Amino acid sequence: MTEVKDLGVLMQGNEACAAGALAAGAKFFAGYPITPSTEVAEILAAELPKVGGKFIQMEDEIAGMAAVIGASLAGLKSITATSGPGFSLKQENLGFAIMTEVPCVVLNVQRGGPSTGVPTAPAQGDVMQARWGTHGDHPIITLAPASVKETFEATVKAFNLSEKFRIPVILLMDEVIGHMRERVQLPRAEEIEVVERKKPDVGPESYYAYKDDETGVPPMANFGDGYRYHVTGLVHDETGFPSNNPERIKKFLDRLHNKLADNADEIIMVDETEMEDAEIVIFAYGSVGRSAKKAVKELRKKGIKAGLFRPITIWPFPVERLKQRLGGVKALVVPEMNMGQLVGEVERVAAGKVPVIPLNRYDGELITPAEIVAKVQEVL
């Protein structure tokens, strides 16, 4: 595997993800190989033992997600990687991790679906599954990088957000980002911010695993450090034991959501290009964001005031950031490699004040800059 160092290196997106996980302090991986995410498992199988970590190939994706939760409860920063049908299998345990506030990172390198679909072709069909795949009203953080270097950065960020807010973070890539290679210059280890989870400052006899310390994120003790507490997928009180008390249920669910809502500025990341005077805004993410950036350059050459709004954080959706950019905008064009998913969120923000035009492709091919340029010219 390519080492993280200050010289430029040719690196694959999946390699960058594995390197980012190691840089963030990951010490555990459990999963099941599946295209197009397998390289992450292969690399971490070789590299984790060198840093005192553990790698386990599980019997299936369900067990992989369960093992990651267990390792995190024991104090190890943990990650699993999957794609398509594997992401579907992880949903129940993903919900368990959200409910029990267990930090972990779930990488989904998207491919065509439904079911086993198109294993080696890009798609963005899991966007809404990343938000609502597991049941119930739950919060989630999902990051969608658009380059190899950004994949490294987003992976580190995913671990940091997960540990800080005690929540699973989904790293939502696609086959293009996972498999393409770019020359990148990664930061030195000492330049990388690494966040550790907040530990209790009281002894085991006074510790409550789900007691709010007024930050919305309770300190988390490691299993095996002398602290004993109950972990359940049922709604629970500060002791961890189930509760049917309506007041406690509401209070608990409000805290789960508010710990993200109250820190949206720290969680939400957006990359903007030529947005200052943009009359046509292209809203794109992941690999399509790259095509959109090229399209903006081509449109500007033609005298069209186009701009790119590219969310790196797609969940929570950047509602306020997008609202702030709609003044003077004549149309929003939303290219996606699906039949139309995140475009619905854009329409909710636009609220009928700005026309929203989708551009969809779901045949296993990347949307090209020329297709985006043609759509914009069609709109004008």
Side-chain angles (χ1 to χ4, degrees), residues 164-322:
K164 182 168 184 176
F165 296 109
R166 285 189 64 174
I167 188 169
V169 174
I170 297 170
L171 195 57
L172 197 64
M173 293 162 55
D174 60 63
E175 190 274 340
V176 170
I177 302 299
H179 281 163
M180 73 177 182
R181 293 183 182 275
E182 292 181 311
R183 178 167 289 280
V184 296
Q185 190 165 36
L186 300 181
R188 300 180 183 186
E190 61 269 24
E191 297 171 337
I192 300 171
E193 180 188 16
V194 175
V195 174
E196 305 294 341
R197 70 185 62 168
K198 184 168 53 180
K199 297 291 180 59
D201 57 4
V202 298
E205 68 284 352
S206 304
Y207 176 64
Y208 294 100
Y210 298 98
K211 183 178 181 181
D212 188 2
D213 64 354
E214 299 185 351
T215 68
V217 186
M220 184 174 177
N222 298 337
F223 275 29
D225 283 354
Y227 293 83
R228 300 176 64 188
Y229 59 95
H230 192 250
V231 179
T232 176
L234 296 169
V235 172
H236 41 272
D237 60 20
E238 62 186 25
T239 69
F241 284 95
S243 174
N244 286 325
N245 180 297
E247 183 179 346
R248 289 178 180 172
I249 293 170
K250 183 178 185 305
K251 182 179 179 182
F252 173 76
L253 292 176
D254 283 345
R255 184 177 63 75
L256 281 190
H257 285 264
N258 289 340
K259 68 181 180 182
L260 300 191
D262 293 344
N263 294 282
D265 288 344
E266 180 178 348
I267 295 168
I268 292 175
M269 300 177 289
V270 174
D271 178 48
E272 298 183 5
T273 302
E274 303 281 8
M275 284 292 294
E276 292 75 14
D277 61 346
E279 295 178 346
I280 303 294
V281 171
I282 302 169
F283 181 101
Y285 53 93
S287 59
V288 179
R290 302 169 66 89
S291 297
K293 193 167 189 174
K294 174 68 172 176
V296 166
K297 291 181 181 177
E298 295 301 317
L299 289 164
R300 287 274 170 175
K301 289 178 184 175
K302 297 175 184 291
I304 298 171
K305 293 182 178 179
L308 170 63
F309 186 96
R310 182 175 66 83
I312 300 170
T313 306
I314 61 172
W315 303 118
F317 191 76
V319 173
E320 296 305 319
R321 289 285 295 273
L322 185 56

